[in-house]
Amino acid sequence: MDDVKTKKRVAIIGAGPSGLAACKHALAKGLRPVVFESGEAVSGVWARTLSSTRLQTPAAAFRFSDFPWPEEVTTAPDMDFPRHDQVAAYMTSYARRFGVLECVRFRSKVLAAEYVGPPETEVAAWERWSGNGEAFGDGSGEWHLTVQHSEAEETQTYKFDFLILCVGRYGVAKVPKFPQGRGPEVFHGQVLHSMEYARMAHADADELIRGKRVVVVGSGKSGLDTVAQCAQANGTKHPCTLIYRSSHWMVDAKLIWGGISFGKLAMTRFAELMVHKPEQGFLLSLLATIFTPLRLLMATLVEAYYKMNVPLQKHGMMPECSFGESMLGWRLGTLPEKFYDMVNEGSIKLKRSHSSFSFCTNGVVLDAGTGQRVVVDADVVILATGFDADKLLSTVFVSPRFRDIIVSSEASDTMLPLYRQCVHPRIPQMAVVGYVECAASIYPYEMMAKWVAHLLAGVVRLPGVEDMERSVAEWERWGRWAKRRSGGVFFLRSCIGTVTTWYHDQLCRDMGYSPRRKKGGGILAEWLQPYGPPDYAAIQ
């Protein structure tokens, strides 16, 4: 079997955290994958981002299970949230330590992935995934990847037996559409997306905004980070204006409630016991129903605490949804340091647009909510208007059918139709790692990578296609429930933030490991201690 595995060709697209983990664990199973990375460095979005960017998740939760942060980071004062360069260095060290760097082909962009083998009509009729339920199928199919290397004018085609997509959710900018004559083309200044701004060299980014009237559109995490960096650069002389239509729960992660960190409390099994879960069974459903009032009470208390300590009401930034609703959809974020201090001093201005916005020659036009339009003068407009999370995942496929079924919103607008969030029942010899949304993305990505590696090694045995699709449907039903309970519009697609440990339990059982990971601590530790990366370090 080992000789067979070493001859199998595995391709990984993307060298962000999910791609690094997928490669590391494939190597551990005796495979020799090839990682195609379009950029010049590993670590994904962390390789090029705003100079002021820090983790919004504590370092203790944002790490690989068997690779701790270096001591100089964990012991330094005020280093619960490392800088972006420290995050990138950490991931590079991980890749170097486990031999991943040797597998990466940098500046290599995958333009297309084509499955060559049995016709699609036959694939669609298979009762077992990949025809026989095995990761590599029966040998009759393979993936052909068209790759553009930066140093070559012509593309090259490579053949693989298995494909792992680790393309992430934040690689394609989402830009609003405007009526004719009211878009960026009429504006005499410069317009760019926050993704473009974040990827600029730091000196060029500083030069772009220095001494300019900057307007940032969007109140998500990237919008607040961008406006904070501009405010720090220009101060009160040239205030940065944040335009928002609705606000989200952006909180100070350093605030401790009654000596208890909310983040740690949310990562316990007891917290998940209070939430309905996919494929949970009658007893757990009953317990979730019984504990729902307690969950709502706790969320209300946390919300009241943040309202007292963060001046949301004062500055008109109170979210439309409750804190409890935001938790289910994981529409939570961390405030940039001293954000409201900069608002108070006047280096940040907050302006709400009640519906749409548009451009004029000298700035941005807002709907003030009274039938009047307000013009905000600007030299530079940065659109922090989000990302097209599905585009990289779908456009890589040559097959129109594969493009449609992998992300089709007709089938699901809350969860991708993937078994165990990794494998599509009707797309053979292919897995996705790293699409899910949760509080600390890196170690769920690693768990997915471990599961896929066990699948490649023949340890994970998949059920029939119909059973896989039933499981997918259960997760979709749960997603619809969570979306309704989160206000109907605040649920991020494939968000597992409130059921992360439950999801990991499923992966553990598939791989043959006990889901109960608190060794030696007893039942209280199992239910009341937060779950985190070290609990899964022994799974290899």
Side-chain angles (χ1 to χ4, degrees), residues 126-202:
W126 280 342
E127 295 181 358
R128 304 284 295 178
W129 181 68
S130 294
N132 62 357
E134 303 289 338
F136 299 106
D138 62 3
S140 61
E142 61 184 9
W143 286 94
H144 292 189
L145 302 188
T146 303
V147 181
Q148 178 73 65
H149 300 289
S150 64
E151 69 275 7
E153 293 184 3
E154 297 183 355
T155 61
Q156 290 184 267
T157 300
Y158 300 89
K159 300 177 181 180
F160 293 94
D161 301 299
F162 197 89
L163 173 63
I164 307 176
L165 299 181
C166 303
V167 295
R169 302 170 66 116
Y170 304 108
V172 179
K174 182 182 289 185
V175 178
K177 294 181 180 180
F178 299 91
Q180 183 68 30
R182 295 174 59 188
E185 71 279 359
V186 303
F187 177 49
H188 289 174
Q190 185 168 352
V191 180
L192 68 164
H193 193 272
S194 59
M195 184 180 75
E196 299 172 82
Y197 177 65
R199 290 181 176 179
M200 295 175 69
H202 293 165

Side-chain angles (χ1 to χ4, degrees), residues 19 29 93 112 125 134 136 152 157 253 377 381 400 418 429 453 464 500 531 539:
K29 297 301 180 186
S93 297
E134 303 289 338
F136 299 106
T157 300
D377 293 334
V381 176
L418 303 178
Q429 298 164 234
T500 302
Y531 258 78
I539 299 176

Side-chain angles (χ1 to χ4, degrees), residues 164-361:
I164 307 176
L165 299 181
C166 303
V167 295
R169 302 170 66 116
Y170 304 108
V172 179
K174 182 182 289 185
V175 178
K177 294 181 180 180
F178 299 91
Q180 183 68 30
R182 295 174 59 188
E185 71 279 359
V186 303
F187 177 49
H188 289 174
Q190 185 168 352
V191 180
L192 68 164
H193 193 272
S194 59
M195 184 180 75
E196 299 172 82
Y197 177 65
R199 290 181 176 179
M200 295 175 69
H202 293 165
D204 294 338
D206 291 343
E207 182 62 29
L208 174 70
I209 64 172
R210 185 178 296 116
K212 304 284 182 59
R213 298 169 298 176
V214 181
V215 169
V216 178
V217 180
S219 61
K221 178 60 177 170
S222 60
L224 266 63
D225 282 348
T226 302
V227 76
Q229 178 156 311
C230 294
Q232 290 167 3
N234 288 332
T236 57
K237 186 176 181 180
H238 299 285
C240 183
T241 301
L242 176 71
I243 294 174
Y244 67 99
R245 185 167 57 187
S246 60
S247 56
H248 307 289
W249 282 100
M250 296 290 175
V251 298
D252 186 345
K254 296 179 182 179
L255 288 175
I256 303 296
W257 175 43
I260 301 174
S261 164
F262 164 72
K264 290 183 178 179
L265 180 64
M267 295 171 68
T268 64
R269 280 194 184 278
F270 181 67
E272 290 198 4
L273 187 66
M274 296 184 279
V275 180
H276 286 283
K277 296 168 282 293
E279 303 180 279
Q280 63 187 346
F282 174 76
L283 179 59
L284 289 177
S285 176
L286 178 62
L287 289 172
T289 301
I290 292 172
F291 281 117
T292 291
L294 178 60
R295 172 173 62 86
L296 296 177
L297 174 61
M298 293 176 65
T300 301
L301 292 174
V302 173
E303 178 177 323
Y305 177 73
Y306 281 131
K307 286 179 178 178
M308 285 192 301
N309 289 277
V310 181
L312 302 169
Q313 190 75 51
K314 174 182 176 181
H315 297 292
M317 294 289 282
M318 187 63 66
E320 296 175 5
C321 62
S322 69
F323 191 81
E325 291 173 332
S326 191
M327 282 175 55
L328 280 175
W330 215 253
R331 289 282 187 173
L332 301 171
T334 304
L335 274 175
E337 191 171 3
K338 298 181 179 179
F339 179 84
Y340 283 110
D341 290 344
M342 290 184 281
V343 175
N344 288 331
E345 73 181 16
S347 55
I348 293 177
K349 292 185 177 180
L350 305 173
K351 288 189 177 294
R352 185 169 189 173
S353 179
H354 287 262
S355 57
S356 60
F357 73 97
S358 58
F359 288 88
C360 61
T361 57

Side-chain angles (χ1 to χ4, degrees), residues 24 32 37 121 171 177 251 270 279 321 395 464 493:
K24 185 260 189 185
R32 186 69 182 176
E37 168 55 45
T121 53
K177 294 181 180 180
V251 298
F270 181 67
E279 303 180 279
C321 62
T395 55
R493 196 176 192 192

